[in-house]
Amino acid sequence: MNNALPDILPPTPAGIDRAARLLGTGALVAFPTETVYGLGADARNGTAVAGIYAAKGRPSFNPLIVHVASAEQAQKFGQWSPVAQKLATAFWPGPLSLVLPLVPDHGLSSLVTAGLPSVALRVPAHPAAQALLQAFGGPVAAPSANPSGRISPTTAQHVLEGLGPNVAAVLDDGPCTVGLESSIVGLDPEPVLLREGGIAREEIEAVLGGPLARPDGDTISAPGQLSSHYAPRARVRLNATAPHAGEVYLGFGDMAADMNLSPRGDLTEAAAALFDCLHRLDATGRPIAVAPVPTRGLGAAINDRLARAAAPR
Ligand code: TXA
Ligand code: MG
Protein backbone atom coordinates (compact mmCIF):
# COMPACT_ATOMS: atom_id res chain seq x y z
CA MET A 1 0.00 0.00 0.00
CA ASN A 2 1.38 3.43 -0.84
CA ASN A 3 0.21 6.96 -0.34
CA ALA A 4 -0.21 7.90 -3.98
CA LEU A 5 -3.75 8.41 -5.24
CA PRO A 6 -5.01 5.62 -7.49
CA ASP A 7 -4.65 5.80 -11.25
CA ILE A 8 -8.01 6.54 -12.84
CA LEU A 9 -8.20 4.30 -15.88
CA PRO A 10 -10.65 4.75 -18.76
CA PRO A 11 -12.57 1.69 -20.04
CA THR A 12 -10.51 1.69 -23.26
CA PRO A 13 -8.40 -1.28 -24.43
CA ALA A 14 -5.31 0.46 -22.96
CA GLY A 15 -7.07 1.11 -19.64
CA ILE A 16 -8.34 -2.47 -19.43
CA ASP A 17 -4.90 -3.83 -20.30
CA ARG A 18 -3.28 -1.74 -17.57
CA ALA A 19 -5.89 -2.84 -15.01
CA ALA A 20 -5.37 -6.52 -15.93
CA ARG A 21 -1.58 -6.16 -15.62
CA LEU A 22 -1.93 -4.53 -12.22
CA LEU A 23 -4.12 -7.43 -11.03
CA GLY A 24 -1.39 -9.76 -12.28
CA THR A 25 1.17 -8.05 -10.03
CA GLY A 26 -1.03 -8.60 -6.97
CA ALA A 27 -2.29 -5.00 -6.86
CA LEU A 28 -5.84 -3.97 -5.93
CA VAL A 29 -7.95 -2.60 -8.78
CA ALA A 30 -11.45 -1.21 -8.33
CA PHE A 31 -13.71 -1.84 -11.31
CA PRO A 32 -17.34 -1.25 -12.24
CA THR A 33 -19.92 -3.99 -12.39
CA GLU A 34 -23.61 -3.43 -13.16
CA THR A 35 -24.35 -3.80 -9.42
CA VAL A 36 -21.69 -1.76 -7.56
CA TYR A 37 -17.97 -1.06 -7.97
CA GLY A 38 -15.84 -4.01 -6.81
CA LEU A 39 -12.43 -3.99 -5.13
CA GLY A 40 -10.62 -6.63 -7.16
CA ALA A 41 -7.59 -8.82 -6.51
CA ASP A 42 -6.25 -12.03 -8.04
CA ALA A 43 -8.28 -14.68 -6.17
CA ARG A 44 -5.34 -17.14 -6.32
CA ASN A 45 -2.92 -14.74 -4.64
CA GLY A 46 -3.29 -14.85 -0.84
CA THR A 47 -1.25 -11.69 -0.29
CA ALA A 48 -3.34 -9.75 -2.80
CA VAL A 49 -6.57 -11.01 -1.23
CA ALA A 50 -5.31 -10.09 2.25
CA GLY A 51 -4.84 -6.58 0.83
CA ILE A 52 -8.59 -6.38 0.18
CA TYR A 53 -9.38 -6.93 3.86
CA ALA A 54 -6.72 -4.38 4.88
CA ALA A 55 -7.94 -1.74 2.43
CA LYS A 56 -11.58 -2.12 3.51
CA GLY A 57 -10.75 -2.40 7.18
CA ARG A 58 -12.91 -5.50 7.29
CA PRO A 59 -12.86 -6.78 10.87
CA SER A 60 -12.94 -10.45 9.99
CA PHE A 61 -12.32 -12.70 7.04
CA ASN A 62 -15.73 -13.00 5.42
CA PRO A 63 -15.75 -15.00 2.22
CA LEU A 64 -15.56 -13.00 -1.01
CA ILE A 65 -17.31 -13.37 -4.36
CA VAL A 66 -15.09 -14.71 -7.15
CA HIS A 67 -15.72 -13.00 -10.50
CA VAL A 68 -15.09 -14.86 -13.73
CA ALA A 69 -15.73 -14.15 -17.41
CA SER A 70 -18.04 -17.09 -18.14
CA ALA A 71 -19.99 -20.02 -16.74
CA GLU A 72 -17.34 -22.27 -18.27
CA GLN A 73 -14.70 -20.60 -16.11
CA ALA A 74 -16.94 -20.77 -13.05
CA GLN A 75 -16.94 -24.57 -13.40
CA LYS A 76 -13.18 -24.61 -12.70
CA PHE A 77 -14.00 -23.52 -9.15
CA GLY A 78 -17.55 -24.54 -8.29
CA GLN A 79 -19.20 -27.95 -8.64
CA TRP A 80 -21.75 -27.63 -11.40
CA SER A 81 -25.26 -29.06 -11.30
CA PRO A 82 -28.41 -28.91 -13.43
CA VAL A 83 -29.85 -26.20 -11.16
CA ALA A 84 -26.64 -24.16 -11.41
CA GLN A 85 -26.87 -24.47 -15.18
CA LYS A 86 -30.50 -23.36 -15.18
CA LEU A 87 -29.74 -20.25 -13.12
CA ALA A 88 -26.59 -19.44 -15.09
CA THR A 89 -28.46 -19.72 -18.38
CA ALA A 90 -31.18 -17.40 -17.13
CA PHE A 91 -29.13 -14.79 -15.26
CA TRP A 92 -25.46 -14.84 -16.33
CA PRO A 93 -23.91 -12.57 -17.18
CA GLY A 94 -25.77 -10.50 -14.58
CA PRO A 95 -26.41 -9.58 -10.94
CA LEU A 96 -26.53 -13.15 -9.56
CA SER A 97 -23.90 -14.92 -7.42
CA LEU A 98 -24.05 -18.68 -6.98
CA VAL A 99 -22.59 -20.40 -3.92
CA LEU A 100 -21.40 -23.85 -5.00
CA PRO A 101 -19.29 -26.60 -3.40
CA LEU A 102 -15.60 -26.10 -4.26
CA VAL A 103 -14.04 -28.44 -6.80
CA PRO A 104 -10.76 -30.16 -5.81
CA ASP A 105 -7.59 -28.33 -6.96
CA HIS A 106 -9.44 -25.05 -7.40
CA GLY A 107 -6.29 -23.03 -6.75
CA LEU A 108 -8.10 -20.22 -4.92
CA SER A 109 -6.60 -18.58 -1.85
CA SER A 110 -8.27 -19.99 1.28
CA LEU A 111 -8.79 -16.38 2.35
CA VAL A 112 -11.29 -15.98 -0.51
CA THR A 113 -13.51 -18.73 0.82
CA ALA A 114 -12.67 -18.02 4.48
CA GLY A 115 -11.88 -21.71 4.71
CA LEU A 116 -15.42 -22.80 3.74
CA PRO A 117 -15.96 -25.82 1.47
CA SER A 118 -17.99 -23.59 -0.89
CA VAL A 119 -17.34 -20.61 -3.14
CA ALA A 120 -19.50 -17.70 -4.35
CA LEU A 121 -19.18 -17.19 -8.12
CA ARG A 122 -20.42 -14.40 -10.34
CA VAL A 123 -20.23 -13.54 -14.06
CA PRO A 124 -20.89 -9.80 -14.26
CA ALA A 125 -22.56 -8.30 -17.34
CA HIS A 126 -20.88 -4.89 -17.27
CA PRO A 127 -18.81 -4.52 -20.48
CA ALA A 128 -15.77 -3.09 -18.64
CA ALA A 129 -15.89 -5.89 -16.04
CA GLN A 130 -16.24 -8.48 -18.81
CA ALA A 131 -13.31 -6.97 -20.73
CA LEU A 132 -11.17 -6.89 -17.58
CA LEU A 133 -11.96 -10.51 -16.65
CA GLN A 134 -11.20 -11.66 -20.17
CA ALA A 135 -7.94 -9.71 -20.34
CA PHE A 136 -6.87 -10.98 -16.90
CA GLY A 137 -7.93 -14.54 -17.72
CA GLY A 138 -8.24 -15.65 -14.09
CA PRO A 139 -10.58 -15.42 -11.09
CA VAL A 140 -10.96 -11.99 -9.43
CA ALA A 141 -12.08 -11.77 -5.82
CA ALA A 142 -14.06 -8.58 -5.28
CA PRO A 143 -16.22 -7.25 -2.47
CA SER A 144 -17.85 -3.87 -2.87
CA ALA A 145 -15.16 -1.15 -3.03
CA ASN A 146 -16.09 0.72 0.15
CA PRO A 147 -14.67 0.87 3.68
CA SER A 148 -16.20 -1.93 5.76
CA GLY A 149 -19.71 -1.13 6.98
CA ARG A 150 -20.17 2.00 4.88
CA ILE A 151 -22.40 2.74 1.87
CA SER A 152 -21.57 0.73 -1.25
CA PRO A 153 -20.02 2.63 -4.19
CA THR A 154 -21.90 3.13 -7.44
CA THR A 155 -19.45 5.60 -9.01
CA ALA A 156 -15.65 5.80 -9.26
CA GLN A 157 -15.88 9.00 -7.19
CA HIS A 158 -17.46 7.03 -4.32
CA VAL A 159 -14.52 4.61 -4.48
CA LEU A 160 -11.97 7.42 -4.37
CA GLU A 161 -13.71 9.11 -1.45
CA GLY A 162 -13.90 5.87 0.52
CA LEU A 163 -10.69 4.04 -0.24
CA GLY A 164 -8.37 6.67 -1.76
CA PRO A 165 -4.73 5.60 -1.74
CA ASN A 166 -5.55 2.06 -0.61
CA VAL A 167 -6.17 0.99 -4.22
CA ALA A 168 -3.67 1.01 -7.09
CA ALA A 169 -6.20 1.96 -9.76
CA VAL A 170 -9.88 2.59 -10.41
CA LEU A 171 -11.36 1.63 -13.76
CA ASP A 172 -13.94 4.38 -14.25
CA ASP A 173 -16.93 3.70 -16.48
CA GLY A 174 -19.55 5.94 -14.90
CA PRO A 175 -22.45 5.03 -12.61
CA CYS A 176 -23.63 1.45 -12.07
CA THR A 177 -26.97 0.64 -13.68
CA VAL A 178 -28.42 -1.86 -11.17
CA GLY A 179 -27.07 -0.15 -8.05
CA LEU A 180 -27.71 -3.02 -5.59
CA GLU A 181 -25.32 -5.88 -4.93
CA SER A 182 -25.97 -9.21 -6.62
CA SER A 183 -28.59 -11.62 -5.36
CA ILE A 184 -26.78 -14.59 -3.76
CA VAL A 185 -28.25 -18.07 -4.22
CA GLY A 186 -26.74 -21.04 -2.42
CA LEU A 187 -27.28 -24.58 -3.72
CA ASP A 188 -27.08 -26.76 -0.69
CA PRO A 189 -28.35 -28.58 -2.76
CA GLU A 190 -31.77 -26.93 -2.38
CA PRO A 191 -31.66 -23.33 -3.65
CA VAL A 192 -31.53 -20.78 -0.82
CA LEU A 193 -31.65 -17.00 -1.23
CA LEU A 194 -28.68 -15.96 0.95
CA ARG A 195 -28.92 -12.25 0.07
CA GLU A 196 -31.65 -10.22 -1.61
CA GLY A 197 -30.13 -8.25 -4.45
CA GLY A 198 -30.25 -7.06 -8.02
CA ILE A 199 -32.62 -9.79 -9.24
CA ALA A 200 -36.02 -10.00 -7.60
CA ARG A 201 -36.77 -13.21 -5.68
CA GLU A 202 -39.89 -13.70 -7.84
CA GLU A 203 -37.80 -13.75 -11.02
CA ILE A 204 -35.44 -16.39 -9.64
CA GLU A 205 -38.34 -18.50 -8.38
CA ALA A 206 -39.98 -18.31 -11.80
CA VAL A 207 -36.86 -19.82 -13.38
CA LEU A 208 -36.55 -22.50 -10.68
CA GLY A 209 -40.23 -23.34 -10.91
CA GLY A 210 -40.48 -23.35 -7.11
CA PRO A 211 -39.82 -21.34 -3.97
CA LEU A 212 -36.37 -20.26 -2.79
CA ALA A 213 -35.70 -21.23 0.80
CA ARG A 214 -34.73 -18.57 3.31
CA PRO A 215 -31.39 -18.97 5.05
CA ASP A 216 -31.59 -20.71 8.43
CA GLY A 217 -29.78 -19.43 11.51
CA ASP A 218 -26.79 -21.68 10.86
CA THR A 219 -25.97 -20.12 7.53
CA ILE A 220 -22.67 -18.34 7.41
CA SER A 221 -22.81 -14.84 8.72
CA ALA A 222 -22.55 -12.55 5.71
CA PRO A 223 -21.45 -8.90 5.97
CA GLY A 224 -24.88 -8.09 4.65
CA GLN A 225 -26.23 -9.69 7.81
CA LEU A 226 -24.27 -7.41 10.13
CA SER A 227 -26.87 -4.98 11.37
CA SER A 228 -25.04 -1.74 10.62
CA HIS A 229 -23.84 -2.63 7.14
CA TYR A 230 -24.35 0.00 4.39
CA ALA A 231 -24.40 2.71 7.04
CA PRO A 232 -24.18 6.44 6.36
CA ARG A 233 -22.64 8.57 9.10
CA ALA A 234 -25.97 10.26 9.71
CA ARG A 235 -28.95 8.77 11.55
CA VAL A 236 -31.50 7.25 9.17
CA ARG A 237 -35.27 7.12 9.85
CA LEU A 238 -37.41 4.82 7.69
CA ASN A 239 -41.02 4.84 6.46
CA ALA A 240 -41.17 8.58 7.08
CA THR A 241 -44.24 10.12 5.47
CA ALA A 242 -42.76 13.60 6.05
CA PRO A 243 -39.40 14.92 7.31
CA HIS A 244 -38.99 16.22 10.85
CA ALA A 245 -37.33 19.62 11.36
CA GLY A 246 -33.64 19.43 10.43
CA GLU A 247 -33.91 16.17 8.47
CA VAL A 248 -33.16 15.79 4.77
CA TYR A 249 -35.90 13.80 3.06
CA LEU A 250 -35.37 10.99 0.57
CA GLY A 251 -38.60 10.44 -1.34
CA PHE A 252 -40.09 7.70 -3.49
CA GLY A 253 -42.87 8.36 -5.99
CA ASP A 254 -44.72 11.56 -6.68
CA MET A 255 -43.93 13.78 -3.64
CA ALA A 256 -41.92 16.79 -2.54
CA ALA A 257 -38.49 15.73 -1.17
CA ASP A 258 -34.83 16.83 -1.09
CA MET A 259 -33.95 13.87 -3.31
CA ASN A 260 -36.17 11.23 -4.84
CA LEU A 261 -35.27 7.57 -5.52
CA SER A 262 -37.77 7.52 -8.37
CA PRO A 263 -40.35 10.28 -8.85
CA ARG A 264 -42.36 7.91 -11.09
CA GLY A 265 -42.27 5.16 -8.45
CA ASP A 266 -40.13 2.74 -10.46
CA LEU A 267 -38.28 0.22 -8.25
CA THR A 268 -35.54 -0.50 -10.80
CA GLU A 269 -34.78 3.20 -11.08
CA ALA A 270 -34.89 3.49 -7.27
CA ALA A 271 -32.40 0.62 -6.85
CA ALA A 272 -29.96 2.27 -9.24
CA ALA A 273 -30.24 5.59 -7.38
CA LEU A 274 -30.23 4.29 -3.79
CA PHE A 275 -26.56 4.32 -2.78
CA ASP A 276 -25.75 7.54 -4.65
CA CYS A 277 -28.66 9.29 -2.91
CA LEU A 278 -27.44 8.02 0.48
CA HIS A 279 -23.87 9.21 -0.28
CA ARG A 280 -25.17 12.68 -1.25
CA LEU A 281 -27.59 13.08 1.63
CA ASP A 282 -24.95 11.85 4.08
CA ALA A 283 -22.64 14.61 2.81
CA THR A 284 -25.16 17.21 4.05
CA GLY A 285 -24.34 16.14 7.61
CA ARG A 286 -28.06 16.12 8.50
CA PRO A 287 -30.17 13.16 9.65
CA ILE A 288 -31.93 11.36 6.81
CA ALA A 289 -35.63 10.52 6.64
CA VAL A 290 -36.69 8.03 3.98
CA ALA A 291 -40.18 7.69 2.50
CA PRO A 292 -41.85 4.25 2.44
CA VAL A 293 -40.70 2.04 -0.44
CA PRO A 294 -42.90 -0.89 -1.53
CA THR A 295 -41.52 -4.35 -0.73
CA ARG A 296 -42.46 -6.11 -3.99
CA GLY A 297 -39.82 -7.08 -6.60
CA LEU A 298 -36.54 -5.17 -6.14
CA GLY A 299 -38.21 -3.31 -3.28
CA ALA A 300 -37.28 -6.25 -1.01
CA ALA A 301 -33.55 -5.65 -1.55
CA ILE A 302 -33.97 -1.86 -1.33
CA ASN A 303 -35.76 -2.17 2.02
CA ASP A 304 -33.11 -4.65 3.21
CA ARG A 305 -30.32 -2.12 2.52
CA LEU A 306 -32.33 0.73 4.04
CA ALA A 307 -33.02 -1.27 7.21
CA ARG A 308 -29.29 -1.89 7.60
CA ALA A 309 -28.49 1.77 6.97
CA ALA A 310 -30.94 2.67 9.75
CA ALA A 311 -29.80 -0.04 12.21
CA PRO A 312 -28.23 1.05 15.51
CA ARG A 313 -24.43 0.93 15.37
O1 TXA B 1 -22.80 -7.24 -6.52
C1 TXA B 1 -21.98 -7.82 -5.80
O2 TXA B 1 -22.17 -8.97 -5.35
C2 TXA B 1 -20.68 -7.06 -5.45
C3 TXA B 1 -19.92 -6.87 -6.76
C4 TXA B 1 -18.59 -6.21 -6.57
O3 TXA B 1 -19.78 -8.09 -7.42
N1 TXA B 1 -19.91 -7.78 -4.49
C5 TXA B 1 -20.28 -7.89 -3.20
O4 TXA B 1 -19.36 -8.54 -2.39
O5 TXA B 1 -21.31 -7.44 -2.77
P1 TXA B 1 -19.40 -8.52 -0.80
O6 TXA B 1 -18.06 -9.05 -0.36
O7 TXA B 1 -19.80 -7.20 -0.29
O8 TXA B 1 -20.45 -9.59 -0.44
C6 TXA B 1 -20.15 -10.97 -0.62
C7 TXA B 1 -21.22 -11.80 0.02
C8 TXA B 1 -21.11 -11.79 1.51
O9 TXA B 1 -22.39 -11.61 2.06
C9 TXA B 1 -20.53 -13.16 1.82
O10 TXA B 1 -20.76 -13.60 3.09
C10 TXA B 1 -21.18 -13.99 0.74
O11 TXA B 1 -21.10 -13.16 -0.38
N2 TXA B 1 -20.43 -15.20 0.46
C11 TXA B 1 -19.27 -15.31 -0.20
N3 TXA B 1 -18.85 -16.60 -0.24
C12 TXA B 1 -19.78 -17.32 0.40
C13 TXA B 1 -19.92 -18.70 0.72
N4 TXA B 1 -19.02 -19.60 0.35
N5 TXA B 1 -21.03 -19.06 1.38
C14 TXA B 1 -21.96 -18.18 1.76
N6 TXA B 1 -21.88 -16.85 1.51
C15 TXA B 1 -20.80 -16.43 0.84
MG1 MG C 1 -20.32 -4.90 0.56
Side-chain angles (χ1 to χ4, degrees), residues 211-286:
L212 275 165
R214 287 172 198 274
D216 60 38
D218 297 339
T219 327
I220 128 131
S221 170
Q225 291 165 352
L226 295 178
S227 54
S228 76
H229 209 63
Y230 310 100
R233 288 176 180 79
R235 184 178 56 74
V236 178
R237 188 168 66 86
L238 303 183
N239 293 315
T241 46
H244 294 161
E247 288 179 335
V248 280
Y249 191 41
L250 178 57
F252 177 85
D254 185 15
M255 61 171 67
D258 297 293
M259 289 192 84
N260 198 312
L261 289 169
S262 172
R264 60 193 166 97
D266 180 281
L267 288 165
T268 303
E269 183 175 69
L274 177 67
F275 289 136
D276 191 52
C277 285
L278 289 176
H279 277 279
R280 286 171 195 269
L281 293 177
D282 200 24
T284 66
R286 289 159 60 191

Side-chain angles (χ1 to χ4, degrees), residues 2 10 28 39 56 72 86 125 159 173 185 202 212 219 234 262 265 277 288 290 294 308:
N2 59 42
L28 302 184
L39 179 60
K56 284 182 66 86
E72 207 180 329
K86 206 177 201 180
V159 178
D173 199 10
V185 174
E202 297 89 320
L212 275 165
T219 327
S262 172
C277 285
I288 303 168
V290 187
R308 291 172 205 290

Side-chain angles (χ1 to χ4, degrees), residues 56 58 143-144 146 152 181 195 223 229-230:
K56 284 182 66 86
R58 230 183 218 201
S144 49
N146 53 289
S152 294
E181 293 85 350
R195 178 175 73 182
H229 209 63
Y230 310 100

Side-chain angles (χ1 to χ4, degrees), residues 29 46 78 92 94 121 163 165 306 313:
V29 176
W92 277 357
L121 291 157
L163 297 177
L306 284 171
R313 343 244 147 95

Side-chain angles (χ1 to χ4, degrees), residues 35 38 58 63 65 67 99 118 120 122 143 181-182 184 195 220 222-223:
T35 59
R58 230 183 218 201
I65 296 173
H67 298 67
V99 175
S118 57
R122 171 165 181 231
E181 293 85 350
S182 58
I184 304 180
R195 178 175 73 182
I220 128 131

